[in-house]
Amino acid sequence: MSRTLRVGAAQMGPIHKADSRQAVVKRMIDLLDQAKAAKCDLVVYPELALTTFFPRWYMTDQAEVDSWFEREMPNAATRPLFDKAAQYRIGLSFGYAELTPDGHYFNTAILVDRAGSIAGRYRKVHLPGHSEYDPKRSFQHLEKRYFEPGDLGFPVWRTFGGILGMCICNDRRWPETYRVMGLQGVELIALGYNTPSVNSQKADEGPQKRLFHHRLCVQAGAYQNATFVVAVAKAGSEDGHAMIGGSVIVDPEGAIRAEAQGEDDELIVADCDLDATIFGKETIFDFKRHRRIEHYGRITSQTGVILPPQ
């Protein structure tokens, strides 16, 4: 039986501060219509797909902060997307800011099955940036102010005929992200991101270098864990703040199967044969045969760098 998933990476252009959830969902449905025409089985949207990247704004009014968060999912604004996806029998993955019933704030992604039901939930573990206003930065990156580190780890789910996982943006830069899912046999990772085109702390790190680092991390993670990775941007200039595009679908050998060409709403598509993950998992990255965990203890027992003695 074929285990080929036709996957659409639904890159989104900028979402401005004034844009309503309803207008954004309409754009997401337009991309879903394209995915239906392309006969996709699964569509992956970006991190914080429903709003602008609000952590660039310094806010002290908690009601203003809360306005960017979703208290339930689906909700009135997103229900049309869920309904249309269920009608099309297409699965979804997208990110949003989650406010839980017990008052916790997470940068979250969900996996929605073909029937429109939530099959998996992931909360961003590696939060970049800072928590207080920093006048030395050209723009703020306040994820540590508005979100808590994810509390679910890196789970995977048996769905769509395979083993799927999720991660979000900065997670892609950390090899542990892929390896923890790799140790659960992951075959496809859905990854949304919102990445500024310039590093606010390093003026010479512009869009080309940022795109290079983005591809480097995603391709290495895919290859080293013999998995597909579907990495999807929200891109372009949001109220004057530029973000990279570069959405890619990467195969288990680390090769790019499809890549977005611009910074606007754009669907790219690739057939992902999940059986193509088997060779890598049974040879060079056969973890059971080749990993030497007796030498890896430092990875989980130590956080910061400890230098060797002088």
Side-chain angles (χ1 to χ4, degrees):
M1 181 178 177
S2 171
R3 294 205 304 139
T4 297
L5 280 179
R6 192 161 173 82
V7 179
Q11 178 174 290
M12 297 182 69
I15 298 173
H16 303 296
K17 213 174 180 183
D19 292 345
S20 70
R21 303 286 205 287
Q22 290 77 11
V24 174
V25 168
K26 173 64 167 59
R27 288 168 55 188
M28 295 173 78
I29 292 174
D30 288 345
L31 286 161
L32 185 64
D33 290 340
Q34 295 178 40
K36 171 64 173 176
K39 300 182 179 179
C40 289
D41 301 298
L42 172 66
V43 177
V44 180
Y45 296 94
E47 172 191 27
L48 296 177
L50 302 175
T51 65
T52 195
F53 186 74
F54 64 85
R56 70 170 63 95
W57 306 106
Y58 180 71
M59 296 175 279
T60 57
D61 180 354
Q62 192 59 47
E64 182 182 5
V65 174
D66 288 358
S67 71
W68 298 108
F69 285 78
E70 316 301 322
R71 290 167 174 76
E72 58 182 356
M73 189 59 62
N75 54 32
T78 58
R79 172 55 69 186
L81 175 66
F82 278 74
D83 289 348
K84 181 65 74 171
Q87 176 189 335
Y88 287 163
R89 302 290 295 174
I90 296 175
L92 305 173
S93 178
F94 67 89
Y96 64 95
E98 177 191 16
L99 175 52
T100 68
D102 56 349
H104 292 282
Y105 294 78
F106 297 110
N107 188 338
T108 295
I110 54 173
L111 187 61
V112 180
D113 66 20
R114 292 177 185 271
S117 298
I118 294 176
R121 184 182 306 271
Y122 168 74
R123 292 167 175 158
K124 187 174 182 178
V125 168
H126 298 104
L127 298 176
H130 53 113
S131 58
E132 297 299 332
Y133 184 82
D134 183 354
K136 296 179 181 178
R137 294 179 183 242
S138 57
F139 55 90
Q140 304 300 300
H141 197 141
L142 293 159
E143 288 193 58
K144 290 184 184 295
R145 181 178 184 86
Y146 302 129
F147 298 117
E148 302 166 50
D151 61 350
L152 301 175
F154 294 99
V156 301
W157 299 269
R158 287 191 179 273
T159 186
F160 296 97
I163 300 174
L164 275 62
M166 293 182 284
C167 62
I168 297 174
C169 198
N170 189 45
D171 289 324
R172 75 192 188 280
R173 307 185 190 279
W174 299 85
E176 296 89 343
T177 296
Y178 305 94
R179 185 48 46 89
V180 172
M181 286 188 275
L183 286 166
Q184 300 170 81
V186 75
E187 296 171 320
L188 187 146
I189 297 172
L191 189 177
Y193 60 96
N194 288 203
T195 297
S197 297
V198 176
N199 187 327
S200 66
Q201 297 177 288
K202 194 170 185 290
D204 66 343
E205 187 179 318
Q208 293 309 312
K209 188 174 286 187
R210 305 221 93 191
L211 281 164
F212 166 72
H213 289 153
H214 156 65
R215 296 187 191 102
L216 178 71
C217 297
V218 171
Q219 290 177 260
Y223 168 63
Q224 292 171 346
N225 295 276
T227 183
F228 288 93
V229 179
V230 184
V232 187
K234 175 143 60 67
S237 180
E238 291 188 338
D239 294 316
H241 294 82
M243 297 186 294
I244 62 169
S247 299
V248 286
I249 301 174
V250 178
D251 74 16
E253 295 186 354
I256 293 174
R257 291 283 187 89
E259 184 167 15
Q261 299 304 302
E263 294 184 345
D264 295 316
D265 292 9
E266 180 180 350
L267 184 76
I268 59 173
V269 177
D271 290 322
C272 300
D273 179 1
L274 301 184
D275 285 338
T277 66
I278 294 172
F279 179 79
K281 293 180 186 299
E282 292 185 347
T283 55
I284 192 168
F285 296 116
D286 183 339
F287 296 155
K288 185 176 181 180
R289 285 196 295 145
H290 303 316
R291 294 185 78 238
R292 301 266 36 114
I293 61 172
E294 66 270 24
H295 300 299
Y296 305 159
R298 190 180 292 271
I299 290 174
T300 56
S301 66
Q302 177 182 323
T303 305
V305 172
I306 298 176
L307 297 174
Q310 294 279 2

